[in-house]
Amino acid sequence: MVASQVHLVRHGEVFNPERVLYGRLPQFRLSERGVLMAAAAAEELVERGRAVVRVVASPLQRAQESAAPIAAAFALAIDTDERIIEPTNAFEGKRMRGPDGALRDPRNWPALINPLKPSWGEPFRSISARMLAAIDDAWNSVDEGDVVLVSHQLPIWMVHQALAHERLAHDPRKRRCDLSSITTLCWHGDHFAETAYVSPALALLDPSNDVGAV
């Protein structure tokens, strides 16, 4: 037996008053709005009436905090999987835009030489491969019920692109992966397929701060 569904949940808004690209940097916690977003994702899963039997989170603080209300709602512990973490990024800790943004500094331009890989961090293929491996393991880790994986925007979007057989290289501005959104996967025949996407924190998105990764 295996899981019925796998839900990929993105973390909520992060407290980031300097609006830096935080990537894998430690101690970036949820903002007050982010806590409400995480609660909205948990409420969505409860309202679906799904039997969630396992919750897995990225090791980063914002993902662990976003997993907490889901785990509490289903009386579960939080497991941690390093494979669903945010990718590495050469611009961690820097402001990307504005007059003093990293993109305006010629010293940073070598990191932008190949956006198809991308040259500024972990290759898209690597992100996709580790995420799909984690999903497959999560799927096979339970006898029945649903598994929730709390991860980050780019890793979740890489799964979407891979399952849709789309190019992994993409325009970051066009990702459909809101804060605290839920992307649901099921097994169809011999492969995973995306069957639903919802944004339960939609009412909280404006004017949220969402500049955590490229």
Side-chain angles (χ1 to χ4, degrees):
M1 297 292 290
V2 293
S4 299
Q5 296 183 345
V6 174
H7 308 282
L8 306 180
V9 178
R10 189 185 172 200
H11 64 78
E13 182 191 59
V14 174
F15 181 70
N16 183 18
E18 300 301 319
R19 301 184 70 84
V20 301
L21 190 150
Y22 40 76
R24 291 188 180 184
L25 294 175
Q27 299 180 345
F28 275 88
R29 58 180 174 80
L30 293 184
S31 65
E32 292 183 2
R33 186 190 299 266
V35 171
L36 296 176
M37 290 178 172
E43 290 168 7
E44 166 69 22
L45 291 169
V46 170
E47 289 174 2
R48 291 185 188 187
R50 303 298 306 179
V52 173
V53 297
R54 189 177 180 211
V55 177
V56 185
S58 153
L60 295 176
Q61 182 174 348
R62 60 189 182 271
Q64 294 282 322
E65 291 176 346
S66 295
I70 301 172
F74 294 96
L76 298 169
I78 301 171
D79 294 327
T80 299
D81 191 332
E82 295 276 353
R83 294 174 297 179
I84 62 175
I85 195 172
E86 188 82 88
T88 55
N89 196 300
F91 294 105
E92 285 180 357
K94 298 178 181 179
R95 290 173 60 96
M96 296 302 292
R97 307 192 185 282
D100 61 343
L103 297 181
R104 292 177 177 267
D105 188 340
R107 292 172 296 181
N108 294 323
W109 292 351
L112 302 170
I113 194 169
N114 185 3
L116 300 180
K117 185 178 180 179
S119 49
W120 56 79
E122 182 181 2
F124 293 135
R125 289 187 182 277
S126 171
I127 303 167
S128 172
R130 62 177 168 83
M131 284 294 293
L132 291 172
I135 290 167
D136 189 65
D137 285 351
W139 180 262
N140 287 286
S141 70
V142 299
D143 292 331
E144 59 184 357
D146 295 4
V147 179
V148 174
L149 303 183
V150 182
S151 185
H152 308 269
Q153 185 190 65
L154 179 52
I156 294 172
W157 190 242
M158 287 295 90
V159 173
H160 168 84
Q161 293 291 88
L163 297 185
H165 304 290
E166 299 287 345
R167 291 183 63 191
L168 298 183
H170 63 284
D171 183 343
R173 297 168 297 181
K174 296 182 179 180
R175 293 175 192 158
R176 184 220 58 192
C177 189
D178 292 336
L179 293 162
S180 287
S181 60
I182 304 173
T183 300
T184 298
L185 311 178
C186 289
W187 185 257
H188 280 195
D190 60 354
H191 63 279
F192 285 107
E194 184 178 312
T195 57
Y197 170 84
V198 297
S199 183
L202 184 62
L204 297 168
L205 293 180
D206 189 16
S208 62
N209 181 349
D210 189 8
V211 293
V214 173

